[in-house]
Amino acid sequence: VFVMLIVGIVVLEQMFGYTINYSGNINLAKDYYANQEYDKAYNSLDGIKLSGDDETLYKQAKVVMYVQRQYESYLNYRKMNMNTEAINALIKGVDRYQTYRAEGKELGVDDKMKESYDKIINALKDTYKISETEAISLADMSNSDFVTYYYKIEAYGKAVK
């Protein structure tokens, strides 16, 4: 009987700890999401068994983050004067936007995805003189003929110093 009591207490303690941890992660993710820190919101929820609104929040953060991260990568590569990699990050952002746009609409976050996408398109136009149409074409090429794609973005990168 004593052993059963101890086992019961241990099980209750673990369940209570999980509930507190789960709630803490959800609240943290919501705060990150509200502050447009989608990668942190996603990471707060990653690996947790979610359902309902919590799972929706996870999916929303994920699709927005997919596009936003590429713009952030671009900024980092530009700081290091790595123009080919910077262009590649922007083109990946275009590709991710095209790939996840329908899911973003279903989740009600297409406007948040579009914000990052617009930054990507503006960077391509302003820095590399690449139009949105050309960027979409390059994104398609990166998936079908990577060698030709890489030579093209390398040439764009060399044109900017």
Side-chain angles (χ1 to χ4, degrees):
V1 175
F2 181 70
V3 173
M4 296 288 278
L5 178 65
I6 298 297
V7 169
I9 290 171
V10 169
V11 168
L12 280 174
E13 188 176 298
Q14 287 181 341
M15 287 175 49
F16 186 66
Y18 174 78
T19 302
I20 289 173
N21 190 33
Y22 179 86
S23 297
N25 281 9
I26 297 300
N27 290 333
L28 190 60
K30 287 178 181 176
D31 288 343
Y32 284 139
Y33 188 87
N35 291 320
Q36 298 181 341
E37 296 178 274
Y38 305 109
D39 58 334
K40 290 180 181 178
Y42 171 81
N43 289 329
S44 296
L45 300 173
D46 196 32
I48 299 174
K49 185 165 174 61
L50 302 166
S51 61
D53 291 342
D54 300 336
E55 186 174 8
T56 301
L57 176 66
Y58 174 76
K59 289 178 180 178
Q60 289 171 326
K62 179 180 71 172
V63 295
V64 176
M65 176 197 68
Y66 282 162
V67 180
Q68 184 186 47
R69 260 205 184 149
Q70 296 308 312
Y71 183 73
E72 291 167 356
S73 293
Y74 154 75
L75 294 175
N76 289 329
Y77 285 127
R78 285 288 292 160
K79 285 179 191 170
M80 296 183 284
N81 285 325
M82 298 172 73
N83 282 309
T84 302
E85 292 81 358
I87 296 168
N88 187 49
L90 292 172
I91 299 301
K92 278 185 181 177
V94 169
D95 186 53
R96 295 236 170 112
Y97 179 75
Q98 301 298 327
T99 301
Y100 294 102
R101 190 163 85 189
E103 186 177 351
K105 280 186 178 183
E106 284 177 29
L107 293 166
V109 293
D110 49 323
D111 57 331
K112 291 172 177 50
M113 291 175 69
K114 184 86 165 86
E115 283 179 36
S116 292
Y117 181 72
D118 288 344
K119 288 179 185 177
I120 288 169
I121 295 303
N122 288 333
L124 284 165
K125 286 179 184 174
D126 296 344
T127 308
Y128 303 104
K129 309 299 182 234
I130 297 173
S131 69
E132 182 176 9
T133 305
E134 176 71 5
I136 292 168
S137 173
L138 286 167
D140 291 341
M141 185 186 298
S142 75
N143 294 320
S144 62
D145 184 2
F146 188 80
V147 173
T148 303
Y149 160 77
Y150 191 83
Y151 285 132
K152 276 194 171 226
I153 65 167
E154 194 174 44
Y156 280 119
K158 286 179 181 173
V160 175
K161 291 293 173 193

